[in-house]
Amino acid sequence: MDQSDFMKNLEAAIEAEWTANDFYKRLKEETPNPLFKEFIQHAEDDEEKHYHSFQKLYYQMTGRYYEHPMKRNEFESFEDGVVEALKDELEASELYRDMLLHMPVQYAYEPLFIAMTDEMEHATRFSTIYGRLR
């Protein structure tokens, strides 16, 4: 992975973090379960932090912030949304791991490591929710 690929992945990560934050705001409103709401709120808050830390990293590397399209993930039901969230969190943790292994600058380590480990935690939370729905 060269620096150009890293930057493309960073742009995708910024978009994904914004989209996930928006998605979780809507998903948590679809359940009356306070534990589920707490788990989703935790992920929502983390995604906003990741978004800002990735934007900061992008700025450090380019001198500008990344202007991205405002995508919106839709879901048919709460269960479908939880499954989609679980898949997205697992994919994000793999992306951040790969980016971490090929980071072109040392100061990328902290935001990538934090996001990678948070995504694994979110996957555990969404897996717990999914298991309780079955």
Side-chain angles (χ1 to χ4, degrees):
M1 177 185 305
D2 62 16
Q3 186 159 342
S4 173
D5 291 334
F6 182 89
M7 294 307 292
K8 287 177 188 168
N9 284 336
L10 183 56
E11 290 171 356
I14 290 168
E15 290 177 27
E17 295 295 337
W18 187 92
T19 301
N21 177 266
D22 172 69
F23 182 66
Y24 299 158
K25 284 178 182 173
R26 292 179 289 116
L27 184 63
K28 76 176 179 226
E29 299 304 320
E30 297 297 317
T31 181
N33 185 307
L35 178 64
F36 295 177
K37 283 184 181 287
E38 177 187 330
F39 280 9
I40 297 168
Q41 181 67 54
H42 184 94
E44 177 190 331
D45 293 344
D46 282 351
E47 302 298 7
E48 183 174 357
K49 290 175 192 170
H50 301 160
Y51 172 80
H52 291 293
S53 68
F54 287 162
Q55 281 285 22
K56 179 182 176 186
L57 176 59
Y58 193 88
Y59 184 85
Q60 289 172 312
M61 295 180 76
T62 66
R64 62 184 175 83
Y65 293 104
Y66 177 58
E67 293 184 35
H68 57 90
M70 303 299 183
K71 296 178 184 173
R72 186 174 189 144
N73 282 355
E74 300 297 337
F75 53 95
E76 296 282 322
S77 66
F78 180 72
E79 184 174 338
D80 289 342
V82 168
V83 169
E84 184 64 31
L86 177 57
K87 289 177 182 178
D88 289 348
E89 295 291 344
L90 292 169
E91 288 176 15
S93 67
E94 289 179 3
L95 173 64
Y96 302 155
R97 178 204 58 213
D98 293 345
M99 291 175 70
L100 188 65
L101 293 172
H102 299 97
M103 62 185 187
V105 291
Q106 185 59 36
Y107 54 82
Y109 179 83
E110 184 176 333
L112 287 170
F113 182 80
I114 290 170
M116 180 187 68
T117 57
D118 284 352
E119 303 298 346
M120 290 185 278
E121 176 193 346
H122 302 162
T124 300
R125 290 174 185 268
F126 283 112
S127 180
T128 299
I129 293 171
Y130 183 69
R132 299 266 311 264
L133 293 174
R134 305 282 39 265

